[in-house]
Amino acid sequence: MRGIFGCVRMAEKFLPHYAEGEVVKGFGRGSKELGIPTANFPENVVEKLPADMPTGVYYGWANVDGGEVHKMCMSVGWNPYYKNTKKTMETHIMHKFQDDFYGSRLKVVMVGYIRPMSTFASLDELITAIKNDISESDRKLEEPKMQHYKVNNFFASS
Ligand code: ADP
Ligand code: MG
């Protein structure tokens, strides 16, 4: 098995990765109920991920319908709905939105990798892990080299 640093190096080969597409309905796994909603990309966007890019938790920047650019944390994982033959990209934007934005155009740039996917013994452990991912993303995105991706033509153009 590859250690965590090996995974990070593997993932970094594919970064930054830019993606954009419509926000679609996810699988109702209740992310919002946990206070951590994740906006899902449709299949055609997920398919553009390089095949060798590791699954796991990434962080970066995102905007919705050309709006303000916010920090984000994203999980790239295997989709149980398709018997783990397809991937999902689920983006939690670190901003409080007034309303849902299904059907909107989501743009993201993935700039860093935190950890591979793992299974958790309990829901509490899962929530703790996600909260750690969010605070680590928050901290890493303060670094000057990461801030530079926030101010980017990609987000300005429609
Ligand atoms: P689904 O299973 O449909 O993805 P979620 O419980 O994960 O449902 O909620 C995701 C939806 O919540 C998004 O598609 C979006 O419309 C809305 N939403 C509201 N605030 C956020 C946020 N900060 N980050 C991501 N999605 C958000
Ligand atoms: Mg979701």
Side-chain angles (χ1 to χ4, degrees):
M1 227 189 104
R2 202 182 291 127
I4 179 83
F5 296 109
C7 289
V8 172
R9 268 200 307 276
M10 265 292 285
E12 282 176 347
K13 284 184 200 155
F14 299 94
L15 301 178
H17 182 83
Y18 293 84
E20 61 180 292
E22 193 191 330
V23 176
V24 298
K25 266 264 165 216
F27 303 89
R29 281 185 292 205
S31 319
K32 208 179 290 162
E33 288 67 30
L34 303 179
I36 313 156
T38 59
N40 289 55
F41 273 128
E43 226 179 284
N44 68 305
V45 176
V46 182
E47 278 167 359
K48 288 182 190 146
L49 284 176
D52 295 338
M53 191 168 171
T55 56
V57 180
Y58 290 82
Y59 58 86
W61 301 98
N63 79 345
V64 176
D65 287 338
E68 211 184 313
V69 180
H70 302 288
K71 291 173 175 174
M72 70 80 174
C73 184
M74 182 198 288
S75 87
V76 175
W78 291 106
N79 192 334
Y81 191 82
Y82 292 102
K83 300 199 161 78
N84 302 332
T85 56
K86 287 188 169 136
K87 286 178 198 162
T88 57
M89 292 165 84
E90 304 194 30
T91 305
H92 173 69
I93 303 174
M94 290 144 79
H95 176 76
K96 178 106 189 75
F97 290 88
Q98 286 309 315
D99 298 294
D100 285 351
F101 45 85
Y102 290 108
S104 291
R105 189 149 195 88
L106 173 65
K107 288 188 182 187
V108 300
V109 56
M110 298 153 77
V111 300
Y113 182 80
I114 298 181
R115 62 171 175 89
M117 292 310 255
S118 47
T119 50
F120 295 94
S122 68
L123 188 57
D124 272 358
E125 279 182 30
L126 170 67
I127 295 172
T128 303
I130 295 173
K131 292 202 169 140
N132 283 337
D133 294 335
I134 292 171
S135 57
E136 191 168 340
S137 302
D138 186 44
R139 193 170 48 80
K140 294 246 168 104
L141 288 164
E142 288 299 318
E143 292 173 12
K145 68 171 189 213
M146 299 307 182
Q147 288 279 325
H148 138 108
Y149 289 105
K150 182 184 181 181
V151 190
N152 194 304
N153 277 333
F154 170 68
F155 289 116
S157 62
S158 58

